[in-house]
Amino acid sequence: MTTPMPAPMPTPPYAAPPGGAWLRSPAALGRATAVLLGLVIATDLFACYADFLEMDVTGDLAAGVTGADVIDRVDRADSLYGAAGIAQGVALVATAVVYLCWLWRIRVNAEVFDASRHSMKRGWTIGAWFCPVVNLWFPRRIVADSWDASAPWGSRSGHSPVNAWWTVWLAGLLVGRFADTSSRHAETADELKEAAKAMLLSDGLDIAAAALAVVVVVQLTRMQERKVLSGELPAPALG
């Protein structure tokens, strides 16, 4: 008796990937991005310490405390404040470069998985971050589209991690702008103290945003690796 041949597995209705899109592992870039985001968190924690010192000494100045000890504390607080700003800037630039490399690879892979999921051209993966106004929502849309395309076929993927990260990131950005403006225009000890409070809130939001970004990076990287291992790939990707 002839054994019947098994029925072929149904092929998900993927859209054909655009030219130049091929799968590459995002694992190494994902790990590097997560590590650098950890560095961002570390520099933000250092900045929070500097913020506390600034608040403490400006509070004493506002209360009328004088003397050599206060002057020394002012100098120390100012030095740490400046050092924290430099450390944050260096960490942010390094992280941004690696993050964008990771995001580009994630986006290209997501196009291979399902090109129909993307509402924006691939070039916006980088450009969206540098265009005024649209950088308030385009990057989130790109990550969300890649998240959808990388989810297991047939599943309904939510965007909770992406939405949480982006909301906190925007809040930190707005508070940071306010804190920076307040600091530059502060003239009295009371105003400097209030500016330091705002900066502390900004740094705290940056820590939360970086932690949520780690969650998004790790989860999205794992989603793509699992999708490759599951064999849920369109014919062009399988070669």
Side-chain angles (χ1 to χ4, degrees):
M1 179 181 294
T2 304
T3 303
M5 295 293 291
M9 291 291 290
T11 302
Y14 291 102
W22 64 90
L23 288 174
R24 297 181 65 187
S25 173
L29 283 172
R31 286 192 294 269
T33 303
V35 169
L36 285 170
L37 284 167
L39 178 62
V40 168
I41 292 173
T43 60
D44 284 337
L45 287 171
F46 175 44
C48 286
Y49 173 66
D51 295 335
F52 275 118
L53 291 182
E54 189 80 8
M55 288 168 53
D56 183 56
V57 71
T58 52
D60 285 348
L61 289 174
V65 178
T66 59
D69 178 64
V70 174
I71 294 175
D72 289 341
R73 288 167 55 207
V74 168
D75 291 340
R76 182 167 181 264
D78 287 344
S79 297
L80 287 177
Y81 210 68
I86 294 173
Q88 285 177 302
V90 172
L92 180 61
V93 170
T95 304
V97 171
V98 178
Y99 172 83
L100 289 176
C101 291
W102 168 83
L103 185 58
W104 181 267
R105 183 163 298 181
I106 286 288
R107 169 57 193 261
V108 173
N109 286 348
E111 288 182 19
V112 176
F113 293 146
D114 189 353
S116 68
R117 291 280 191 169
H118 303 281
S119 57
M120 307 182 70
K121 297 290 186 181
R122 191 190 304 173
W124 282 110
T125 305
I126 306 298
W129 295 89
F130 302 99
C131 292
V133 183
V134 299
N135 60 5
L136 297 178
W137 73 88
F138 274 24
R140 182 258 168 205
R141 180 72 264 165
I142 290 165
V143 175
D145 287 345
S146 298
W147 187 281
D148 289 339
S150 303
W153 183 256
S155 67
R156 299 184 64 181
S157 60
H159 299 144
S160 296
V162 177
N163 292 338
W165 156 65
W166 193 247
T167 300
V168 177
W169 162 262
L170 287 181
L173 187 66
L174 294 175
V175 174
R177 293 285 179 86
F178 171 77
D180 182 63
T181 301
S182 299
S183 180
R184 285 188 287 106
H185 291 87
E187 295 181 353
T188 66
D190 281 327
E191 290 174 344
L192 287 169
K193 183 178 180 180
E194 292 304 313
K197 286 182 180 179
M199 193 62 72
L200 177 62
L201 176 59
S202 172
D203 291 330
L205 288 170
D206 284 347
I207 291 171
L212 289 168
V214 171
V215 173
V216 172
V217 168
V218 171
Q219 287 195 18
L220 190 45
T221 299
R222 288 177 177 173
M223 286 167 64
Q224 291 204 342
E225 290 182 312
R226 288 169 183 163
K227 192 152 190 172
V228 171
L229 292 175
S230 73
E232 294 184 10
L233 301 178
L238 293 173

